[in-house]
Amino acid sequence: MQTLDQTVVKHHGKRALERCQSLAGISEMDGAILRQYLTPEHKRCNQLVAIWMEEAGMDTWQDEVGNQWGCLASDNPGAKRLVIGSHLDTVPNAGAFDGILGVLLAIELADIAHQQGINLPFHLDIVGFCDEEGTRFATTLIGSKALAGNFDPGWLDLTDVNGVSMSEALTAFGLSPEDVGNARLPKDDVFGYLEVHIEQGPVLEAADQALGVVSAIAGAKRAVIEFIGQSDHAGTTPMDMRKDTTVAAAELTIAIEQIAKQCQHNEVATVGYINAKPGVANVISGYSAVSLDARAQSDDDLELLLYKISRTAKAIASERQLELSWQWTHEAETVACDTKFQQQLLAACHANGEDSPVLTSGAGHDAMAIAPICPVGMLFIRSPGGISHHPAESVIPEDVEKALAVMYSAISSID
Ligand code: HGY
Ligand code: MN
Ligand code: MN
């Protein structure tokens, strides 16, 4: 297992962090980071990443759903492909490293191999996924699911807050909605997928560890739970004659927190928003939508959590004589990371002087969407304060350098 010279690690680690800040400047929001799928910012980001990939000696292309690719080809034309990547899109008011750092570290790896004239036994493919967060069209892992052949054509009709459909947005971006299925990777070509990502949680910091190897990624389901009641006058409608959906939404929100807190295996459930309509002070809301993001370390735990929440939602609707409907918007099963990749990553950590732990991921990642077509592995980088999905998201430069050194050692051990 090869290790990198410290000066090389420092140079490339530093440049990856500088480039994170360059991409942070490509944002739809003034003074904050937001980069959504199929926007001009997505296009500008892909163009800049493509330049960096080409400087690293890679052939580049953008696929049919808007993922940005680079390939450092092996001399062996019949070689298999190792894909290393993460996502280039962000949540609103994001940090500079969630997803982004994983793509840029992969490009530094390719540049090191290119500069050293290493002939890899596999084609090194790097991918910057177009939409992991699902911020614009309320469905996530679009780019990575497309690679696995799981792009749902129904997504083309999803609309953003401005009523623009994904199909229209693809066309405006210069892509053809009818071609999105072609982004699918030929299953036999790819022998594995690796992803470096910030932990986005407190575990590595609490263990005073720079890096961690991921054993499994929590399963998740997202839904919009809708209460339908009766809009009415806020001044003339007696309290016992109301079909008030905002109160029902608030009652369910509190209940969801209580249900998750009473679970025993680190289940989590989050209401990110309540959307009441018509949403004015002097009208009782006849419609309220409650977003639900539920996660667990096993599919059985997730199903039990969702059953309890569903039962409570029904009881609230019945008690308040409201209609209830669920719109499922996302589902990702719990994914186990490949044992061999875990061993190779742990060995690479040890070869670089790190006694890194193994941990599970509460956050979802593109690796879960790739898992159906090839073995996946993930390396986590410590998140100071456990902060993420927030401008205060940060990394320790020395940890980033260690991650680069470990990834170099890991891929050098792949035959
Ligand atoms: O929500 C998640 O788990 C990921 O950050 N998209
Ligand atoms: Mn994220
Ligand atoms: Mn992420």
Side-chain angles (χ1 to χ4, degrees):
M1 185 171 277
Q2 296 168 33
T3 56
L4 273 176
D5 176 281
Q6 270 311 303
T7 48
V8 172
V9 166
K10 276 204 169 306
H11 165 72
H12 288 275
K14 180 169 175 284
R15 189 169 69 175
L17 288 175
E18 288 164 355
R19 288 176 169 179
C20 284
Q21 297 307 334
S22 301
L23 292 185
I26 302 177
S27 172
E28 299 166 50
M29 292 170 79
D30 288 336
I33 302 173
L34 170 60
R35 199 164 46 249
Q36 299 181 99
Y37 184 40
L38 298 175
T39 57
E41 290 73 20
H42 171 191
K43 187 178 285 285
R44 283 171 48 212
C45 174
N46 277 9
Q47 287 165 343
L48 183 51
V49 166
I51 290 169
W52 291 335
M53 287 174 163
E54 281 149 19
E55 288 170 353
M58 306 184 96
D59 299 325
T60 63
W61 70 98
Q62 183 178 266
D63 70 15
E64 291 80 358
V65 289
N67 295 318
Q68 179 59 48
W69 286 89
C71 176
L72 191 68
S74 165
D75 290 348
N76 169 10
K80 292 264 185 186
R81 301 164 69 176
L82 173 67
V83 179
I84 304 181
S86 194
H87 59 95
L88 291 170
D89 68 305
T90 79
V91 293
N93 202 23
F97 308 103
D98 171 7
I100 320 303
L101 180 57
V103 180
L104 298 178
L105 273 180
I107 295 172
E108 295 302 337
L109 268 180
D111 191 39
I112 292 166
H114 176 58
Q115 291 200 25
Q116 292 180 351
I118 297 173
N119 175 36
L120 294 166
F122 46 79
H123 299 307
L124 176 58
D125 275 351
I126 292 173
V127 61
F129 287 114
C130 56
D131 187 323
E132 185 272 349
E133 300 289 4
T135 303
R136 182 173 181 187
F137 293 106
T139 191
T140 75
L141 304 174
I142 292 173
S144 41
K145 281 186 176 178
L147 299 195
N150 293 324
F151 184 100
D152 178 349
W155 292 343
L156 294 170
D157 300 325
L158 291 174
T159 55
D160 66 12
V161 288
N162 301 315
V164 176
S165 72
M166 189 186 292
S167 179
E168 290 163 339
L170 280 162
T171 305
F173 194 79
L175 297 170
S176 308
E178 58 279 3
D179 292 345
V180 293
N182 300 338
R184 179 195 198 115
L185 280 183
K187 198 165 174 176
D188 296 339
D189 289 9
V190 181
F191 72 85
Y193 171 81
L194 292 175
E195 182 167 358
V196 182
H197 201 289
I198 54 173
E199 179 204 339
Q200 300 179 294
V203 172
L204 290 178
E205 182 173 59
D208 191 23
Q209 289 285 348
L211 308 175
V213 174
V214 178
S215 56
I217 305 168
K221 275 194 175 179
R222 289 185 195 168
V224 176
I225 305 168
E226 298 173 309
F227 287 107
I228 296 99
Q230 177 62 49
S231 288
D232 247 327
H233 195 294
T236 58
T237 313
M239 292 308 288
D240 62 355
M241 293 176 68
R242 296 179 173 209
K243 291 191 174 184
D244 185 338
T245 62
T246 307
V247 184
E251 188 177 1
L252 178 60
T253 301
I254 300 291
I256 285 171
E257 182 195 42
Q258 292 308 315
I259 291 166
K261 279 184 170 179
Q262 287 154 12
C263 290
Q264 303 300 314
H265 308 136
N266 297 321
E267 290 87 337
V268 290
T270 309
V271 172
Y273 64 77
I274 294 176
N275 182 8
K277 290 181 179 172
V280 292
N282 62 345
V283 178
I284 299 164
S285 65
Y287 170 90
S288 286
V290 177
S291 72
L292 173 65
D293 176 310
R295 311 198 192 191
Q297 298 302 326
S298 80
D299 294 337
D300 289 347
D301 286 344
L302 186 55
E303 285 316 306
L304 181 58
L305 172 61
L306 288 166
Y307 167 73
K308 290 176 182 173
I309 292 171
S310 167
R311 188 178 54 186
T312 303
K314 283 181 189 148
I316 291 170
S318 163
E319 174 65 25
R320 295 176 177 277
Q321 298 174 333
L322 305 176
E323 285 176 51
L324 174 69
S325 84
W326 286 63
Q327 310 299 331
W328 292 104
T329 58
H330 168 62
E331 173 173 0
E333 291 175 356
T334 308
V335 163
C337 292
D338 178 65
T339 309
K340 191 173 176 202
F341 273 150
Q342 288 187 55
Q343 289 160 354
Q344 284 170 320
L345 287 167
L346 277 172
C349 289
H350 298 149
N352 285 277
E354 294 294 311
D355 61 341
S356 307
V358 174
L359 71 166
T360 57
S361 172
H365 297 288
D366 288 300
M368 38 195 345
I370 300 292
I373 60 169
C374 69
V376 300
M378 284 197 77
L379 181 70
F380 270 176
I381 300 174
R382 169 171 34 193
S383 287
I387 298 170
S388 183
H389 283 188
H390 186 282
E393 180 183 280
S394 68
V395 286
I396 298 167
E398 292 73 20
D399 293 354
V400 173
E401 292 161 15
K402 287 174 182 173
L404 182 60
V406 163
M407 286 300 288
Y408 178 88
S409 298
I411 67 170
S412 74
S413 71
I414 294 174
D415 51 27

